[in-house]
């Protein structure tokens, strides 16, 4: 039993070192998924995290030695071997809520993390379910905007039934065109990075997106693979990358344990 615990500790240590060690052609990149942020504890739920809970998580990540990366950084690593920092982690926020700019982004700046935000074209500058969304112009002109990477969460396929693009694949090409036609989209990753609504994707949707020139897609996968494993020269490793959903009930210490466990699994699989 002691030997098993010792082996587990060694594997965890290897996972934390291997992802971007000198000369490595593989990077293990955990991806966290957030949505909405609030200052009011009574409004917190599975998709809404309080500022205090977010700060606890960011502080824990910083103490544990994690360094934030963007999807563009991941593409650069796969395409040309551009180095990633030690213990890279990608933080994402879906739906483009105004709270990303008001609450999350200043905190990201404080702790030195970038944030990749997936926006819904039809929700831009609108109150959906009583929650305001930001515009691309507001994001670009935000005092902490340099920390923000904008990606696509579809224009109008974030349906209330939770089917996402799987509800009507035939409408995906037109939806892509509408997203790319948004004012300011050409200065973002909206035309290059696609985040699946509700994490739902199919082989057909992947074919459509790749043909349209998308270089990376993000999903939500459970089970065996919950962290992205990127490989230099392997474009396939950038598609339907898994993410780990995070809410306010996850304390900082627990978040680090989750990341270590998932990285350990990835290290075993690679071995």
């Amino acid at each position: 039993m002691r030997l098993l615990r010792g082996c587990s500790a060694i594997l965890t240590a290897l996972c934390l070192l291997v992802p971007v060690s000198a000369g490595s052609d593989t990077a293990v990149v955990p991806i966290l998924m957030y949505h909405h942020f609030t200052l009011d504890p009574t409004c917190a739920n599975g998709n809404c995290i309080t500022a205090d809970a977010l700060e606890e998580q960011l502080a824990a990540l910083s103490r544990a030695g994690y360094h934030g990366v963007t999807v563009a950084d991941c593409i650069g690593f796969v395409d040309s071997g551009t180095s990633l920092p030690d213990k890279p982690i990608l933080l994402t926020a879906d739906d483009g809520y105004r709270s990303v700019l008001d609450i999350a982004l200043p905190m990201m700046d404080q702790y030195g993390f970038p944030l990749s935000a997936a926006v819904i074209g039809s929700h831009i500058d609108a109150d959906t379910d009583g929650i305001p969304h930001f515009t691309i112009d507001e994001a670009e002109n935000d005092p902490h905007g340099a920390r923000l990477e904008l990606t696509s969460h579809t224009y109008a396929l974030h349906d209330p039934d939770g089917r996402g693009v799987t509800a009507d694949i035939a409408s995906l090409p037109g939806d892509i065109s509408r997203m790319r036609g948004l004012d300011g989209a050409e200065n973002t990753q909206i035309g290059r990075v696609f985040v699946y609504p509700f994490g739902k994707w199919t082989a057909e949707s992947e074919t459509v997106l790749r043909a349209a020139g998308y270089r990376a897609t993000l999903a939500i996968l459970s089970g065996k693979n919950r962290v992205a494993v990127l490989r230099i020269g392997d474009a396939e490793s950038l598609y339907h990358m898994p993410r780990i959903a995070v809410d306010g009930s996850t304390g900082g210490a627990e978040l680090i344990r989750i990341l270590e466990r998932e990285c350990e699994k990835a290290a075993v699989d690679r071995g």
Side-chain angles (χ1 to χ4, degrees):
M1 189 68 176
R2 184 178 300 170
L3 177 60
L4 288 175
R5 287 198 296 267
C7 289
S8 177
I10 292 171
L11 285 170
T12 298
L14 286 173
C15 175
L16 298 180
L17 292 173
V18 165
V20 289
S21 58
S24 174
D25 63 354
T26 303
V28 174
V29 183
I31 307 175
L32 302 185
M33 178 181 67
Y34 296 95
H35 284 83
H36 182 34
F37 306 89
T38 183
L39 298 175
D40 183 357
T42 65
C43 295
N45 55 46
N47 282 337
C48 184
I49 181 173
T50 65
D52 287 344
L54 176 63
E55 181 163 25
E56 180 184 346
Q57 293 174 0
L58 294 179
L61 290 172
S62 181
R63 287 193 302 269
Y66 283 93
H67 298 89
V69 297
T70 63
V71 184
D73 292 331
C74 294
I75 294 172
F77 174 80
V78 171
D79 281 357
S80 56
T82 303
S83 63
L84 295 178
D86 289 336
K87 298 175 69 173
I89 190 165
L90 173 57
L91 307 182
T92 69
D94 288 2
D95 301 344
Y97 293 119
R98 175 77 203 188
S99 62
V100 166
L101 303 187
D102 294 341
I103 297 175
L105 210 53
M107 211 170 290
M108 296 290 167
D109 202 17
Q110 176 185 348
Y111 285 93
F113 289 100
L115 180 64
S116 184
V119 298
I120 305 169
S122 61
H123 291 188
I124 285 179
D125 198 23
D127 289 1
T128 304
D129 296 328
I131 305 175
H133 294 67
F134 62 80
T135 66
I136 294 176
D137 184 65
E138 287 172 336
E140 289 181 340
N141 291 288
D142 188 89
H144 308 283
R147 291 279 178 190
L148 190 64
E149 174 184 63
L150 298 184
T151 63
S152 174
H153 208 33
T154 77
Y155 186 90
L157 297 180
H158 196 283
D159 66 293
D161 295 329
R163 295 176 295 170
V165 302
T166 63
D168 185 11
I169 295 293
S171 66
L172 184 53
D175 192 271
I176 291 170
S177 295
R178 295 182 77 181
M179 276 301 284
R180 286 176 168 168
L182 291 172
D183 288 342
E186 68 278 4
N187 301 318
T188 72
Q189 296 295 316
I190 284 174
R192 217 161 69 120
V193 178
F194 189 92
V195 179
Y196 281 105
F198 315 105
K200 294 183 178 179
W201 61 279
T202 66
E204 187 177 359
S205 68
E206 286 286 276
T207 298
V208 171
L209 290 165
R210 296 184 199 202
Y214 278 87
R215 294 302 324 285
T217 61
L218 282 68
I220 307 169
L221 304 181
S222 59
K224 185 177 181 181
N225 299 313
R226 297 184 67 203
V227 297
V229 180
L230 307 178
R231 302 174 184 83
I232 295 175
D234 180 11
E236 183 67 28
S237 64
L238 288 166
Y239 291 99
H240 48 83
M241 291 189 287
R243 295 188 293 165
I244 299 171
V246 184
D247 61 32
S249 66
T250 306
E254 175 61 18
L255 177 60
I256 300 305
R257 285 194 292 270
I258 291 171
L259 294 175
E260 290 179 350
R261 181 180 69 239
E262 297 304 326
C263 282
E264 181 178 320
K265 291 178 184 177
V268 170
D269 291 342
R270 289 167 55 199

